[in-house]
Amino acid sequence: MNRLEQLRQKLIAAARLDVPADTVPWAFEQRVLARLRAPRSLDLAAFWARALWRAAAPCVALSLALLTWHLAVESASAPEPEPQTLAQQLEQTLLAAVQEQTADESTDVW
Amino acid sequence: MEERAEAELIAAAQKGDAASFEPIVKKYSPRLFATARRYARRESEVEDIVQDIWLKAFHKLPGYRGDAPFEHWLMRLAVRTCYDHLRGHQRNREATFTDLSDSEQDWLERHAVQPDTASERADAARQLVRRILEELPPAARLVITLLEIEERSVKEISQLTGWSASLVKVRAFRARAQMRKILKRLARSKYL
């Protein structure tokens, strides 16, 4: 055991010997009962904080619902690309090689 | 107060009868004061903590189902209230060797030279350990107090704090390291 740990253990032993008193202040029960019987005053800050916490979950749920609805509407209203005819597909396939070659030539730098 | 009588008083208090709560407050307050004095030094703070525990106990009493002894339920509430108090009154000031009182400095020096001559029964040792505990973060102070000073088991601490057993062990490991770090800072020249 190193010296610091030895010191720490000695101090813990000192704390164990330092048993706190269990004395109760005079008329403590009466003070507790008086506070229990007193009408609970309205703490506006606590009330506001509690209301905010309670509103947090519904707000998140509402935001998610609106986001989902927005995405659903957007995908439904987006124009779908028109299907290509057989002739267009054939032309695209045949000209693909030529188009690639033209693109390569235009990007070459001498 | 017999157990049956206590159960009847608790049942009445659960229905909102504050007068039935008085004998319960009388019976358990010494235990609560002893617990609160471990975490607060000023008597006014200690009394505030215990009052807070009783107010919480009265308002949460309808939720007490009697599965566990009332004392266990109350002590759980007490430990959690003390922990909340520590978190609310966290102090960040770091003391150095020169901040210690003459008797604390003397005790540390004697321990460094000849450990056997520095008794754990000395007032200086008690003051020093209080100072170190006050510098610890709330979770570390709570776990050191429950595990090492009150010598409770990990399972008991887990029940009192609501932390898992593994979290208690991790926090205890960190707390010991934090305590050593504070000691190293306080007695740097003597122990390095």
Side-chain angles (χ1 to χ4, degrees):
Chain A
M1 196 193 317
N2 68 25
R3 296 178 74 196
L4 267 179
E5 182 55 24
Q6 202 182 0
L7 173 63
R8 196 188 75 82
Q9 297 221 348
K10 194 160 231 178
L11 289 172
I12 290 291
R16 272 187 212 132
L17 292 169
D18 189 13
V19 180
D22 64 356
T23 48
V24 178
W26 186 76
F28 174 74
E29 302 84 34
Q30 275 88 51
R31 285 199 287 283
V32 171
L33 285 193
R35 281 190 67 181
L36 286 177
R37 284 177 179 140
R40 292 176 88 180
S41 59
L42 183 66
D43 183 354
L44 281 176
F47 178 76
W48 178 239
R50 214 176 306 134
L52 282 179
W53 273 114
R54 282 189 187 165
C59 281
V60 170
L62 186 68
S63 311
L64 285 174
L66 283 173
L67 182 71
T68 316
W69 176 74
H70 174 73
L71 290 175
V73 166
E74 202 165 74
S75 63
S77 62
E80 277 186 25
E82 284 181 19
Q84 288 182 324
T85 60
L86 182 66
Q88 283 172 326
Q89 285 174 354
L90 182 67
E91 188 182 273
Q92 200 177 351
T93 313
L94 287 172
L95 292 175
V98 181
Q99 277 169 350
E100 265 179 33
Q101 200 180 352
T102 324
D104 286 346
E105 279 170 5
S106 64
T107 53
D108 279 347
V109 179
W110 294 92
Chain B
M1 198 195 314
E2 280 177 34
E3 249 177 62
R4 197 176 155 187
E6 186 180 294
E8 282 167 10
L9 288 171
I10 291 169
Q14 279 177 321
K15 289 173 191 156
D17 179 9
S20 305
F21 204 51
E22 190 177 353
I24 300 169
V25 175
K26 221 172 215 169
K27 182 182 175 185
Y28 293 107
S29 282
R31 180 99 199 266
L32 294 183
F33 269 91
T35 302
R37 283 187 181 115
R38 290 229 185 255
Y39 305 98
R41 210 190 272 209
R42 283 204 313 272
E43 270 305 297
S44 60
E45 267 183 285
V46 171
E47 191 170 332
D48 283 349
I49 293 172
V50 182
Q51 276 200 20
D52 199 18
I53 296 168
W54 282 123
L55 294 181
K56 279 184 189 170
F58 186 74
H59 294 301
K60 289 187 174 185
L61 205 54
Y64 170 66
R65 286 167 299 162
D67 303 338
F70 176 74
E71 196 175 357
H72 293 188
W73 180 82
L74 185 65
M75 287 316 290
R76 266 204 300 275
L77 197 62
V79 166
R80 288 170 197 192
T81 307
C82 289
Y83 182 50
D84 289 342
H85 171 83
L86 287 179
R87 287 200 295 181
H89 295 77
Q90 211 168 347
R91 292 162 198 157
N92 295 317
R93 200 181 158 272
E94 290 186 347
T96 57
F97 185 74
T98 48
D99 294 319
L100 302 180
S101 67
D102 290 345
S103 59
E104 288 169 315
Q105 289 186 4
D106 181 52
W107 190 90
L108 269 180
E109 272 166 6
R110 266 189 292 128
H111 189 274
V113 178
Q114 214 174 349
D116 297 340
T117 58
S119 167
E120 61 267 28
R121 292 180 184 279
D123 280 343
R126 271 199 287 260
Q127 283 166 15
L128 196 58
V129 73
R130 272 190 212 150
R131 191 189 285 275
I132 291 161
L133 287 173
E134 276 173 12
E135 271 198 37
L136 284 175
R141 181 169 179 181
L142 186 72
V143 82
I144 288 283
T145 305
L146 295 172
L147 190 72
E148 300 208 335
I149 300 173
E150 293 183 1
E151 296 178 286
R152 291 176 188 268
S153 68
V154 170
K155 195 181 164 193
E156 262 183 290
I157 298 169
S158 174
Q159 284 167 350
L160 283 169
T161 55
W163 302 337
S164 67
S166 49
L167 183 62
V168 172
K169 287 178 196 169
V170 169
R171 285 192 162 161
F173 177 79
R174 279 192 208 144
R176 288 187 193 111
Q178 282 165 322
M179 220 177 148
R180 278 193 294 270
K181 200 174 157 192
I182 295 170
L183 281 170
K184 204 171 176 177
R185 172 165 35 83
L186 283 175
R188 183 176 289 269
S189 56
K190 279 117 203 116
Y191 290 88
L192 281 180

